[in-house]
Amino acid sequence: MTRTTLGLAAAGGALLLNRHLVDRETRPAQASAGRLVGTTLGELHVLEEGDPAAPPAVLLHGFAGSLHWFDRLAPLLAGEHRIIRFDLLGHGGSTKGPGGVSIEQQAQAVEEALAELGVESALFVGHSYGAAVSVAVAERGGSLVERLVNLDEGPNDDDFGQVPLLARIGLYPVIGELFHRVAIDPLVRDGYSDAFGDDFDMAGGFHDPDQVVHDYRAMTFTSYRECWNGELAFLNSRRLDERLRDVGVPALVVFGDQDRFFLGRESADAFRQVPNARVELLAGVGHSPNVECPDEVARLVREFAATAAA
């Protein structure tokens, strides 16, 4: 056997070993900013702010994010609301299990955690993946979702979605496992840059300029892959605008016209067909208005919430 053949065999064996190790990786929940709340599906990391007696507002982050993606928005809403921020399963400080997590399972975990917190009805503000989870909570029935804000989650992935290259690479078998383990910080930052508008300073959008790196490294490869696949399955099994129409809760839908994950203008137009939905298209904003323009989002949310009290 030649040295080249031995080298290739060794490299292949190392890749397979890395895949075996990464695919089996799990991580327990760990509180940092807040505390842990138990559910039948795992522990959720939750951070509460504002007046405990005020109307609750539940903030749910996007895919591969964390509750820190609301660091600039939450204080702007805390004057009128009891703010409840979650790390969803597989993300941030919440449980990372050995298997997949569907959007429906995320919704179940959020519902159970809110019951533990004594919340019976709330305004839900979901960014991207978090908006899909919010709709799934509403689909479970009951009155938990009083009103719903969708920040840049498109109707579906097939017709409205554009998957960035680095995200696609991170999902490939073998290559994805290796990328997840060895990706250097600048490459991670570059991958997350697609979640923002053209000229946005990503580091300045967070209290911690390395927040996106921390959020990526907090996920296991399994949670990254399976949460992504769960979101696609949910959106493509039935369009989100149709789901939102059928649950019938009042909705505010906000898109940035520079959204690189979904076609912002086309997605906004699709949601304009949903009764009881107010739709806003923000100029010069990308996929993450909660980070890019929190003051404008807070103004829209406050106006939207005020119509419930009128």
Side-chain angles (χ1 to χ4, degrees):
M1 185 176 291
T2 67
R3 291 183 179 180
T4 300
T5 303
L6 286 170
L8 290 173
L15 285 172
L16 291 174
L17 176 60
N18 180 72
R19 183 180 188 185
H20 175 77
L21 293 173
V22 171
D23 265 353
R24 288 175 173 267
E25 186 179 9
T26 62
R27 292 180 195 165
Q30 185 173 7
S32 56
R35 62 190 178 96
L36 301 179
V37 177
T39 78
T40 58
L41 295 165
E43 291 183 295
L44 293 184
H45 181 214
V46 58
L47 174 62
E48 295 188 73
E49 302 152 289
D51 183 357
V58 177
L59 310 185
L60 301 179
H61 61 79
F63 170 74
S66 71
L67 57 77
H68 291 291
W69 286 57
F70 293 103
D71 277 351
R72 299 177 67 198
L73 178 61
L76 301 176
L77 300 176
E80 299 87 13
H81 295 279
R82 171 192 176 188
I83 301 297
I84 303 170
R85 298 194 245 170
F86 286 109
D87 282 335
L88 294 166
L89 292 171
H91 296 77
S94 295
T95 298
K96 289 95 181 170
V101 181
S102 67
I103 292 292
E104 292 85 356
Q105 287 173 314
Q106 295 280 20
Q108 177 184 338
V110 168
E111 184 179 87
E112 291 180 11
L114 288 172
E116 286 292 316
L117 297 173
V119 176
E120 297 179 352
S121 182
L123 165 69
F124 276 65
V125 180
H127 172 219
S128 192
Y129 182 93
V133 175
S134 300
V135 172
V137 174
E139 288 182 324
R140 292 176 61 84
S143 57
L144 185 54
V145 181
E146 179 182 343
R147 306 195 137 229
L148 191 151
V149 179
N150 169 9
L151 302 177
D152 282 79
E153 181 74 332
N156 65 19
D157 178 69
D158 287 341
D159 299 327
F160 295 87
Q162 299 176 331
V163 181
L165 176 62
L166 284 178
R168 293 200 302 270
I169 291 173
L171 296 165
Y172 289 155
V174 182
I175 297 174
E177 286 97 335
L178 180 63
F179 180 85
H180 195 81
R181 184 176 288 272
V182 304
I184 60 176
D185 290 358
L187 196 57
V188 173
R189 293 189 194 97
D190 186 59
Y192 274 85
S193 66
D194 287 317
F196 304 95
D198 293 338
D199 300 317
F200 183 71
D201 175 16
M202 181 172 62
F206 299 92
H207 294 336
D208 183 343
D210 287 325
Q211 188 61 55
V212 299
V213 175
H214 300 323
D215 291 338
Y216 180 78
R217 302 206 184 284
M219 300 185 77
T220 64
F221 174 76
T222 298
S223 64
Y224 184 88
R225 177 189 61 200
E226 296 305 324
C227 287
W228 176 283
N229 289 338
E231 181 181 13
L232 295 189
F234 184 78
L235 292 181
N236 293 331
S237 64
R238 191 168 183 227
R239 289 170 53 120
L240 197 70
D241 52 338
E242 294 177 357
R243 292 176 183 269
L244 191 57
R245 178 199 64 208
D246 287 352
V247 296
V249 299
L252 169 65
V253 179
V254 180
F255 277 90
D257 69 353
Q258 293 183 4
D259 191 328
R260 292 190 181 94
F261 285 88
F262 293 100
L263 305 176
R265 194 172 301 277
E266 291 84 349
S267 294
D269 287 342
F271 281 101
R272 294 186 201 280
Q273 310 307 312
V274 178
N276 298 321
R278 172 184 173 182
V279 180
E280 299 285 344
L281 185 67
L282 304 181
V285 177
H287 182 68
S288 306
N290 45 307
V291 178
E292 298 174 67
C293 55
D295 293 286
E296 178 64 10
V297 172
R299 181 187 67 80
L300 292 171
V301 171
R302 282 195 294 263
E303 290 178 358
F304 177 59
T307 61

